[in-house]
Structure formats: C-alpha cells, structure tokens
Amino acid sequence: MNVNSKNFVNPSLGEGLNKVALIGNHTPRRCGIATFTADLTDALTEQAPMSDFWTIAMNDVPGGYDYPQRVRFELDESRLTDYRLAAEYLNMNQVDVVCLQHEYGIFGGADGRYILGLLGELRMPVVTTLHTVLKEPTPGQLDTLRRLADLSDRLIVLSHTAGQLLQDIYGVPEEKIAFIHHGIPDVAFVDPNYYKDQFGVEGRRVVLTFGLLSPNKGIEHMVRALPAIVERYPDTVYIVLGVTHPHVLRNEGEAYRLSLQQLAKSLGVDGNIIFQNRFVDPQELREFLGAADVYVTPYVNEAQISSGTLAYAMGSGKAVVSTPYWYAAEMLSVERGRLVPFNDSEAISHQVLDLFDNPVEANAMRKRAYLFGRNAVWPEVAQQYLRVFAEAKEERNLQSGNTFNLRTLQAEFADVPELNLDHLRRLTDHTGILQHATFNVPDLRHGYCTDDNARALIVAALAEKVTPGDTTISSLRGTYLAFLQYALVEETGRFRNFLPYDRHFVEETGSEDSQGRALWGLGVAIRESTDRGQLGLATSLFNQAMPNTERFTDLRTQAMALLGLEAYLERFSGDSEAKRLRNYLAECLLHSFSSHATPAWPWPEDIVTYDNGKIPHALLLAGHSMEREDMLETGLRALQWLVDLQTENGYFVPVGSNGWYARDGHRARYDQQPLEAHSLIDACITANAVTGGEQWVESAMLAFQWFLGQNDIGALLYDPRGGGCYDGLQPDGVNLNQGAESTLAWLLSSIQMHMLRADRSLAHLPRLKTVDSAAIMAVPTAGSVR
C-alpha cells in the first residue's frame, strides 16, 4: 500500500500572505514544540513557496542554539524586554500573520504571561496553536489562556477534546476554534521486518517507546509488564528511544533513566531492553518506527491533550497500546488502538501479548490507524493552516480601526527598564540590608532596620516573577528572613527595628510601622515561596507576630498588616484567626474614614503624609476578599482623590515631606519621596484589577514615569547603571544618596510595572462585577462612606 507521493500543491494557497512568522521553540533545541515548529515551517514553505515563512525562537539557555537561517529573531524567555523588542521587530517587518506555538512552560513570567505583552502590541492577526489545554487549570493558568484567547484571532487545537475544554472551561466561542491534526511525516505502510536488521533486532518482536524521557512518561510500567511478555515470547525486545528531557536533566540528572535500568535488572529483563540515549533525526526516527511491532505510551495521567509521538506512531501504521490520556482516548477510538488503565503493568502485558498472539487482528488495527493518519500528513496540515491564516487576515481587514487601537494599548506603556538588583546586592551583607548610602556607597554608620529588611523581603519574593532564571534571589530572601527572625522578640511577638552595625539591637520593641511592614513582608513571602524551609520560617514568624495586630492604632500600620494578612490568606485560605483579624483591621480602616472623611476631604486623617496609597490599597483588597462594596467604594474614592491631588500638568507630583498637607493648610511641594510613588502605583494596579477601570492603569503609569524623569525638574530618580534610586526630589535636583527605602520603592515599582505589562489585571484578583468605578467616581459626596 504505497501512498508516499507528495500532495498536490495548490498555487492559490498562500495568496495574500507575503510574510508569516511562527513563534515557538525551534530545532536544534530538543523538545516537541521545537520539532513541531520546524516541521510546520517546512511544510508551509513547501505548500506556499511564494510566501516567506520564518521563526522567532524562544531560548531557555544563555546564548541560545545554533539555529538555521529561518530563525530571524531570538528571545531570552525570562527577559521581559525581549518580548517587547520582538513585537517591534514583527511590526516593523510588516508580517501578515503570526502563528504562535503555545505551551505554558516555554514563556517567561508566572504561567508564561510574558507572551501576552508581545501579542498585545502586534498589529497583525494572531493564530495560536494550543499544545496544552488543562481541564483543571490554576487561577493563573486559566487567566493566562483566557487572555491569550482574547489576543488571538484563531485558536488551533490538536484534538476535539481540547476544543470542547476551551468552550466549557475557558469560555472561548466555538467559531474562534479550529481543529487541525498534529502533523506527521508522510511515510509508507511497511512490514516491520523491513527495518529490523538496521538495529540488530532482526527476527525479534519489537516494542517501542520514543520521546524525551521524564517521570510522567510512565515507562516503568512497561518495564514491569515485560517479564510476562518475555515469558511467552523470549525474543521480545523493548527499545526506549530518546534523551532525557533537558529540564529534567538539568534538575535531576539521569536519575530516572538509571532507575529504569535498575528496575529492569531487578526483574531479570535487562537483556530485553535497549536504551537508545540520543536525539535522532527525522529519517532515523521513521526507521525506528518502521521496525516496531507494537508502540506503547504508558503515560501516568490523563491531562495530555496532544502527543506528537503517538501521532507519529499511528501515521507509521503501528499497533498501539496506550493509557487513556485525553489525546490517546480520542485518537485510538474506533479500534485504532488498545487502551489500558493508568499505572497497570498487568493490563499492558495482556494487550501486548494479545497483539502478538493475533497478528491478523494486529495488522487490521495497524491499517485503521494508518488510514486515519492520512489527514494528518504535513502537506495536508500545512494547507489547513494556510486556510486559517487567510481567514484570520480577511476577517481582520473587515474589522474597524478600533481593533488595532485595543490590541496595541500596551504599546502606550512606559518603557520599563530591565530589573537591576545590583544596588540591592551592594546594600546587603550577611546580616541584612543597610539603611543608608552615601551616594551609592553603603553607609555602615546607621546599620540596619526591620522596615527596610521587610521591604527587601518583598522585593526578593517578587523578583523571580521578572527574572526567574536568577538563582541568587533565593539567597537574598533567606538573608532578609533571617534578619526578621533576629528582630523578633519571641516573648512579645513584636519586632525590634533599629540594629546598629555592631549587630546589637538598641530597643526592646520597634515602631508600629515596623510591625506592620514586617507582617506585610512575611505575608508576601509566604504567598510566593517555593522553598519549603523559607516558607516554614516565614509562617512561624508570621504566626508569632499576628496576634499583635489587634493592638495596632496607626492607620498605615493597620493597612500594612492587612496587606500581609491578605497575602497570607492567599496561601492558607482556611486560617480562621487570620480571617478574623483581616476583617477586624478592615473595619478599623473603614471606621477611620467615617470619623474623618467629608465630601471635600475624603481622607481618614487630618493630614496627608507618607506612604498614603497603602490605606486605600489595603481597603480595596479587603473589600474584594470580603465582598464589601462599602469598602470598595470608600477605597476607590480615597484613591481617586489621592491621584487628583498629586497630578499636575499631566505628571505626578507627590506631596512633599517638608510640611506634608494638612486639612485647610498649604501643601508642601518638596521633598518628593519615592515611597509615595510606589504606594500609589501599588494601589492603582489593585484598583484596576478589582474594577477593570483603565484610568487606574494610566495613573499607575504616570506615577512610575516620575522615576523616569517626568517630574517637576525633569530628573531621573533611578540610577540606570547601578540599579539604585536617589533619595528624593528637591527643588534644586535629586538627593544623590541611594538608600534602602528609595531603592526598594523603585525596585517594587519596577517589578509591579513589569508584571503589569505582562498581565493587565494581576490574575490573583478576579474582578467583582458589582463594582462600577466610573459610577463611584461620579458621586459628588461621601454619603456612601459608612
């Protein structure tokens, strides 16, 4: 049965498509997405030779790979600025369609969010191939894929199951989804004996598994099935073809492969297994497949929506035995293969033996699989992709100009400098972060404080979201946690604040502010921690200090403690005492507004001082968690008042520290502090997340641009070379010292803006539909403040 001829090339395919760019991994990188992207590009070029198809490749190692010429742009997956540059490159090259190969793990940011920023700045249609669609996504994965769907003109799925999940779980409309098979080589249907002599297995029954080795492949179950098979058919040989997955190799070495070899030896079948520890080229893979009598995929769970290895095996006409992961259950239906339960070696051996015992039935099953695969050969798949590209482009051309403006809104974001932690490291020694600097040189004379080490802990907890490849950040977190442990007085559950350079505290208890900041820092560390030891210490310190929150009277202390409790509850949502204290502090803040706020002065104090954004920020988070519209309304009104108060002539002008701003008094213009810019950025990002109001994004951007020179004197507040931040804006220039408070305010602002570029609403805060910020802002009085 010879159907190995080339498909007819339709000359009309590709008309109107001058340039198509694919985004994904690419060979010689070793992974399934890389192979898929390379094969798809080859097939598209063959089917539409008049069009130009090229690739933007994701790099997971410094320096990338030795790519072919068709790879015209490379991104460091962990560097957010690379994504913006790639978008500019695509726009400048006037690409007609972008085809994204999506898998959460190949893009940077939490749940691969960085790719969203790139897509949001593109001017052309986007067609996304989804290689993973989860039935039970985390909130972050759910939000990422929903936003990806919004930014894509078409979503291509590799199975009908994936299409149904998109509709049921992610709310994607059916008309946006296209099913196209995973592409496979166009090979002949041959007798397995034809290739066996090439591998020294002539005259033997060959069982094959191929692909990158990792524990989720379940190969140990096939190894355990082998003794029963060998007992009846001693000539059986099981070939395990493929290198260990690069990420597994990097983290665990060859432990999995060695465990398989040891298992085979213990079962007495080590002479019946051949481990081919190499990454084979496409031609050699076809020959290995050709030599196989039975192909086995013993994956250990159902959550796999596509499998290139299974598609290749079916397209080669193999008798397949597989566990019922989603893709296999769909592809092997109608007697195109045999399904066995997960983790069931006995069932695997039973089915393999049945196929060996019944060669006529096995051959009929091979033919059914092979004929089914004819629709999945790469020429046919490429033609279907070209049709989808043409549809997406035509529909975009018919849409109004508003679509472009919406899709390129992220292009209006301020240029966010790359996160630079050099000055943070310069200020940090083995004890903690030093308070002050003379110019950019650490000033040992003033020692350390809990305030700054708590803020530094937050920076270290969040920084990995922006630079996930930086392995030194965990060490910084450990240093700041150790400082807070040293600062805590266990008998009282309170933190000391000021520590001279001789490392002996000079007080028995620190200020209320330092208590609140410590709880805030610990709460964020608990929420973000992936290190069990650090999580354990942070949780212990937090629980020792938490009871004191009921004694706090200062509003900013209450707000910071509330922020810490909210972060803690995201990790440990069932802690009833933490919820009670969260509710208590939220009511305290709300009561302060009812005691002080008026229509003309919607603020909970008689003076506006420092770190003001923390108060509405905390009230918004609590109102969201508690589903309290009165808290949300009060927080939004206060925040809008702060924004209006500190915006002049289109730029941010924070209240000055030389006199602040008292009710019925004159507002001080200087010195302007980085702390105020950061607190407003944090609060505005939260307001955007809760309400969806775009004005909050604009306000956050305005405050961030204050650091970048859009201020009263047009001066940069951050040091682009060293990564620090100057200590304030004065009438005659900047304060050239770069202390911890200002540097940490800059770094926290920078981290938040990096995350804002990648995810416009911070997925861990789903919007409350009952909140209408525009309506709230339109109310002229404070009558709803209770």
Side-chain angles (χ1 to χ4, degrees):
M1 184 176 186
N2 183 9
V3 292
N4 199 30
S5 58
K6 294 291 184 184
N7 286 30
F8 174 71
V9 176
N10 185 343
S12 66
L13 288 172
E15 283 187 2
L17 296 173
N18 296 317
K19 299 177 184 177
V20 175
L22 288 82
I23 302 176
N25 300 344
H26 197 287
T27 53
R29 181 172 173 177
R30 295 177 174 182
C31 73
I33 302 289
T35 302
F36 184 96
T37 305
D39 289 346
L40 178 57
T41 309
D42 284 338
L44 290 168
T45 301
E46 180 180 293
Q47 293 300 310
M50 301 305 292
S51 303
D52 188 14
F53 299 94
W54 44 273
T55 301
I56 288 184
M58 309 302 303
N59 286 334
D60 64 338
V61 294
Y65 300 87
D66 185 17
Y67 291 116
Q69 190 173 0
R70 69 154 64 116
V71 175
R72 299 189 187 173
F73 195 96
E74 302 174 39
L75 286 80
D76 181 333
E77 66 179 34
S78 64
R79 186 179 299 134
L80 184 56
T81 52
D82 280 11
Y83 292 79
R84 188 187 76 247
L85 294 173
E88 292 175 359
Y89 183 82
L90 289 164
N91 288 332
M92 286 189 297
N93 279 276
Q94 299 182 328
V95 171
D96 293 294
V97 174
V98 164
C99 182
L100 174 72
Q101 306 306 310
H102 183 264
E103 170 72 58
Y104 290 107
I106 71 173
F107 303 111
D111 303 307
R113 294 185 188 283
Y114 285 0
I115 193 62
L116 301 177
L118 187 160
L119 299 182
E121 297 186 16
L122 295 181
R123 302 175 185 174
M124 68 290 296
V126 175
V127 175
T128 297
T129 303
L130 295 173
H131 294 265
T132 294
V133 181
L134 300 173
K135 186 177 182 179
E136 297 179 352
T138 65
Q141 291 167 336
L142 177 68
D143 188 77
T144 295
L145 192 50
R146 282 178 171 171
R147 296 179 186 283
L148 181 65
D150 288 342
L151 292 165
S152 300
D153 296 76
R154 284 286 192 281
L155 296 174
I156 292 176
V157 293
L158 306 179
S159 67
H160 295 290
T161 305
Q164 197 61 52
L165 288 175
L166 283 180
Q167 296 176 65
D168 296 343
I169 308 298
Y170 300 87
V172 178
E174 183 179 4
E175 59 272 17
K176 202 169 194 176
I177 303 168
F179 165 73
I180 301 178
H181 278 290
H182 190 299
I184 58 175
D186 189 358
V187 299
F189 185 82
V190 299
D191 187 317
N193 293 309
Y194 182 81
Y195 287 108
K196 289 184 179 180
D197 60 334
Q198 294 182 213
F199 306 109
V201 293
E202 60 273 20
R204 304 185 70 175
R205 299 172 192 271
V206 176
V207 180
L208 175 69
T209 295
F210 84 87
L212 297 173
L213 259 65
S214 60
N216 66 329
K217 297 298 176 67
I219 294 171
E220 62 274 15
H221 301 296
M222 177 58 212
V223 175
R224 292 193 178 99
L226 203 52
I229 299 170
V230 170
E231 183 179 1
R232 189 181 305 176
Y233 294 99
D235 61 346
T236 300
V237 60
Y238 179 35
I239 298 177
V240 181
L241 173 63
V243 298
T244 300
H245 194 289
H247 292 172
V248 175
L249 188 64
R250 195 175 304 147
N251 297 321
E252 303 172 20
E254 290 287 8
Y256 181 58
R257 184 185 300 276
L258 292 172
S259 72
L260 295 174
Q261 293 171 343
Q262 291 167 0
L263 175 62
K265 187 173 183 179
S266 70
L267 295 172
V269 292
D270 49 313
N272 297 85
I273 297 184
I274 299 173
F275 286 93
Q276 291 280 353
N277 186 7
R278 54 201 182 95
F279 193 86
V280 297
D281 62 42
Q283 179 56 38
E284 195 172 8
L285 175 58
R286 294 180 190 129
E287 293 167 356
F288 268 104
L289 279 167
D293 296 286
V294 175
Y295 183 77
V296 177
T297 56
Y299 298 166
V300 297
N301 63 68
E302 66 175 359
Q304 182 148 338
I305 209 65
S306 68
S307 170
T309 62
L310 178 60
Y312 276 38
M314 293 179 69
S316 300
K318 297 294 103 181
V320 177
V321 175
S322 176
T323 50
Y325 54 93
W326 295 326
Y327 187 73
E330 181 176 324
M331 294 297 113
L332 298 179
S333 62
V334 198
E335 298 184 329
R336 292 189 290 262
R338 301 282 182 87
L339 295 176
V340 298
F342 294 107
N343 308 319
D344 192 336
S345 300
E346 184 177 346
I348 295 174
S349 63
H350 174 76
Q351 291 298 337
V352 172
L353 285 170
D354 189 63
L355 291 171
F356 285 171
D357 290 342
N358 298 284
V360 175
E361 184 178 338
N363 197 56
M365 189 172 73
R366 289 180 57 212
K367 288 182 179 179
R368 286 191 291 270
Y370 183 78
L371 291 173
F372 178 77
R374 293 306 87 208
N375 292 325
V377 294
W378 276 117
E380 174 62 28
V381 165
Q383 291 178 23
Q384 294 180 52
Y385 268 87
L386 289 168
R387 294 187 188 100
V388 172
F389 294 164
E391 291 172 5
K393 185 180 180 186
E394 182 178 0
E395 289 179 12
R396 177 64 70 85
N397 290 339
L398 294 175
Q399 293 172 356
S400 68
N402 290 336
T403 302
F404 169 77
N405 292 332
L406 289 171
R407 289 174 59 83
T408 60
L409 185 58
Q410 288 200 10
E412 299 175 8
F413 273 51
D415 287 335
V416 183
E418 287 192 31
L419 187 64
N420 182 349
L421 301 180
D422 287 352
H423 192 57
L424 177 71
R425 295 189 178 94
R426 187 180 302 120
L427 289 173
T428 302
D429 61 17
H430 69 278
T431 299
I433 188 169
L434 291 150
Q435 288 190 77
H436 296 294
T438 304
F439 298 103
N440 64 350
V441 179
D443 188 341
L444 309 184
R445 295 172 297 175
H446 300 282
Y448 319 81
C449 69
T450 291
D451 281 318
D452 289 335
N453 278 275
R455 282 186 283 237
L457 178 59
I458 298 173
V459 169
L462 296 176
E464 283 185 328
K465 290 178 175 291
V466 180
T467 57
D470 189 340
T471 59
T472 67
I473 293 174
S474 178
S475 177
L476 289 172
R477 282 199 306 270
T479 297
Y480 305 136
L481 269 173
F483 183 95
L484 294 182
Q485 182 184 35
Y486 185 43
L488 182 70
V489 179
E490 293 187 357
E491 293 78 9
T492 63
R494 295 181 69 92
F495 295 90
R496 295 166 291 190
N497 192 16
F498 294 109
L499 178 69
Y501 194 64
D502 64 6
R503 278 72 166 184
H504 292 93
F505 278 103
V506 296
E507 57 192 357
E508 285 303 314
T509 187
S511 65
E512 275 210 356
D513 264 13
S514 65
Q515 311 304 314
R517 283 200 181 89
L519 283 165
W520 177 33
L522 290 168
V524 174
I526 291 165
R527 185 187 70 201
E528 301 295 336
S529 181
T530 58
D531 182 297
R532 292 173 64 89
Q534 293 180 1
L535 174 61
L537 176 57
T539 304
S540 174
L541 298 176
F542 189 91
N543 286 327
Q544 290 178 72
M546 184 171 64
N548 285 307
T549 56
E550 285 187 287
R551 302 184 182 92
F552 296 158
T553 57
D554 180 81
L555 290 184
R556 283 160 188 77
T557 303
Q558 291 175 340
M560 287 182 286
L562 186 50
L563 292 174
L565 284 162
E566 285 287 354
Y568 172 85
L569 285 167
E570 287 194 48
R571 187 69 177 253
F572 299 114
S573 59
D575 191 324
S576 56
E577 178 64 6
K579 284 190 282 190
R580 185 187 72 79
L581 292 171
R582 184 268 313 278
N583 296 352
Y584 170 77
L585 291 176
E587 294 289 357
C588 288
L589 286 183
L590 187 64
H591 177 73
S592 296
F593 277 94
S594 64
S595 301
H596 289 82
T598 68
W601 185 269
W603 193 243
E605 298 174 303
D606 292 329
I607 188 169
V608 177
T609 56
Y610 64 96
D611 215 3
N612 297 294
K614 286 289 182 294
I615 297 172
H617 181 191
L619 200 56
L620 287 172
L621 275 177
H624 172 268
S625 299
M626 298 165 64
E627 298 189 6
R628 288 281 298 273
E629 289 191 40
D630 53 346
M631 292 180 181
L632 290 166
E633 292 171 3
T634 302
L636 289 168
R637 184 174 289 105
L639 181 58
Q640 186 64 61
W641 183 74
L642 272 183
V643 169
D644 293 342
L645 177 68
Q646 299 180 108
T647 302
E648 291 185 23
N649 301 318
Y651 57 87
F652 178 64
V653 184
V655 169
S657 61
N658 295 337
W660 306 118
Y661 177 39
R663 192 196 301 239
D664 300 324
H666 294 287
R667 176 187 145 181
R669 196 161 190 101
Y670 297 100
D671 291 348
Q672 298 174 18
Q673 300 295 321
L675 187 65
E676 185 62 18
H678 163 247
S679 72
L680 195 75
I681 289 167
D682 248 3
C684 287
I685 289 174
T686 296
N688 169 253
V690 171
T691 70
E694 288 298 294
Q695 75 272 23
W696 302 116
V697 176
E698 295 170 4
S699 296
M701 290 167 56
L702 202 66
F704 185 73
Q705 289 165 346
W706 177 83
F707 289 103
L708 306 182
Q710 293 192 29
N711 49 53
D712 274 346
I713 62 174
L716 277 177
L717 266 293
Y718 89 102
D719 177 4
R721 296 187 65 181
C725 181
Y726 300 115
D727 278 351
L729 194 69
Q730 302 167 332
D732 56 350
V734 297
N735 180 334
L736 292 175
N737 297 328
Q738 298 179 23
E741 179 183 284
S742 57
T743 294
L744 294 166
W746 156 249
L747 291 175
L748 286 169
S749 300
S750 180
I751 288 169
Q752 292 289 16
M753 292 305 293
H754 274 284
M755 293 193 298
L756 183 59
R757 285 180 60 89
D759 177 6
R760 294 288 303 282
S761 72
L762 294 180
H764 63 271
L765 288 175
R767 295 174 185 171
L768 286 180
K769 295 181 180 179
T770 57
V771 180
D772 184 346
S773 61
I776 292 169
M777 293 305 109
V779 178
T781 70
S784 61
V785 179
R786 296 185 285 277

